[in-house]
Amino acid sequence: MKRKLFWNSFLCAMVVLAACLSVTVLAVFDYFSQYNRQRLEEEAAYLGAAVETEGGDFLETVDQDATQQRVTWIDADGTVLYDSEADAASMENHSQREEVAQAWESGSGWSVRYSDTLATKTTYYALLLTDGTVLRVSGTEWTILSMLLDMWPSLLLVVALAVLLSGLLAWRIAETIARPVNEIDLEHPDENGVYPELRPLARRINAQSRQIKRQMELLDQEHQRQDRMRREFTANVSHELKTPLTSISGYAEIIHEGIARPENVKEFSGKIYDEAQRLQSLVGDILELSRVEDLGVGMEKTAVDLYPLCEEVLRRFRPQAERREIVMELKGTHGIVQGSRELLGEVISNLCDNAIKYNRDGGSVVVTVNPLGDRVLLSVADTGIGIPEADQGRVFERFYRVDKSRSKAVGGTGLGLSIVKHAAAAHNAQLQLESQPGQGTEIRLIFPAGETENDDNCERA
Ligand code: ADP
């Protein structure tokens, strides 16, 4: 900025200086030209009057050194009668001279002739006298060019001084303008006293930098949150895997060492089997969850009709429901969404599984597929134990369980709803939860018509 200001001011000063110098030189030169012409006129008038009263001999008495002008007297036919600097007899006829011809025509005449080198110019003034003769006075002066050439050492000095002064001034100007700008305190934009006009800009920069800082903090927080979640997940996974493994290894050791009584062997091996089953479903859910998380937007989507898919899932769950006299019902009609058939099947399975697991004996499960305008609703509602208000926002977290022992007793892993949440996100579906403790729970997924962006896909109704 400073450099630019310097060059701009410097160039400005140079242009002004050049313009001023040129105008001054021209004005001075014009003044001297006018002055010389006036002198020639006065001289001619005076000499003309003298010649008319006293005759041509008067010219011989004029001191040419004093006037420094050349005087020529020309007869009415052009013959030179007198010349102050040359022999009149040897001079050619002057009737063709421009100024002389003009004088015969209009009483007086001017002409200017330059020397071969253009260094000097001679101005001629011719005056017609009453007897028809012409008196001509001429003076030689410098041209602008010769004047400049003659003055070049002093001109060079003036220009050098001007350049130096302009440079110094331009540097000071640049410094004076730029320093307060560079020193603006963006943290306190209103305390900038030198340029009040810059306050709005400083305020804007300040607001923007605060916004960037806030966003950086948010990003950092999000980063830390994700980091914490990853650590928690690893700790949770280890813990969840360790519990059944400890049981399995404990019972297996008792049997292996032959410590177990023969009548207990069946019970213990049954426990090993149950825990191994639990391990299997845990590992299966963990793998499924990481697969769903990785799928994201890159998932290959096809048109999937949710209605027959629900029919298929319900058929699989019916025996499990019937064991507890739970009635399962499918309502609604065909609803086609863009997505992964396998993942959608997993979502419906997890929701139905929960609706049975956390239901009361003799309760019911209603699955609904309904096109809502250009969107499609999938809902799984049960008449079970419900989810307390305080837990409703957390049940979609990994390993979060409202009642850990109950979940464990019914074979839950705490990952089912996490898989549902991630699958909903991968399908840009809106996720809603409505639950009344002791009355039942309804989980709804609303799928978009086509490809739409939907970041906040999880919301509580
Ligand atoms: P889990 O394998 O334990 O069922 P989920 O992630 O599927 O894990 O569910 C998390 C928790 O949410 C469950 O432990 C349970 O407490 C609660 N939950 C989920 N679905 C229902 C439901 N339909 N009714 C009542 N509680 C439910």
Side-chain angles (χ1 to χ4, degrees), residues 285 350-351 353-359 382 384-387 395-397 399-404 407-408 410-419 435 440-441 443:
D285 274 1
N350 283 354
L351 293 177
D353 189 30
N354 282 353
I356 296 169
K357 277 193 307 195
Y358 303 105
N359 218 323
D382 63 57
I385 58 170
I387 301 168
V395 286
F396 294 99
E397 290 174 18
F399 295 115
Y400 190 84
R401 285 163 280 198
V402 178
D403 180 347
K404 206 160 181 166
S407 159
K408 210 171 162 185
V410 292
T413 60
L415 294 175
L417 287 185
S418 278
I419 295 170
S435 186
T441 304
I443 293 182

Side-chain angles (χ1 to χ4, degrees), residues 324-339:
R324 293 179 53 207
E325 293 177 341
I326 295 169
V327 181
M328 292 194 87
E329 197 185 343
L330 176 60
K331 284 189 177 169
T333 172
H334 294 276
I336 294 167
V337 300
Q338 290 292 320

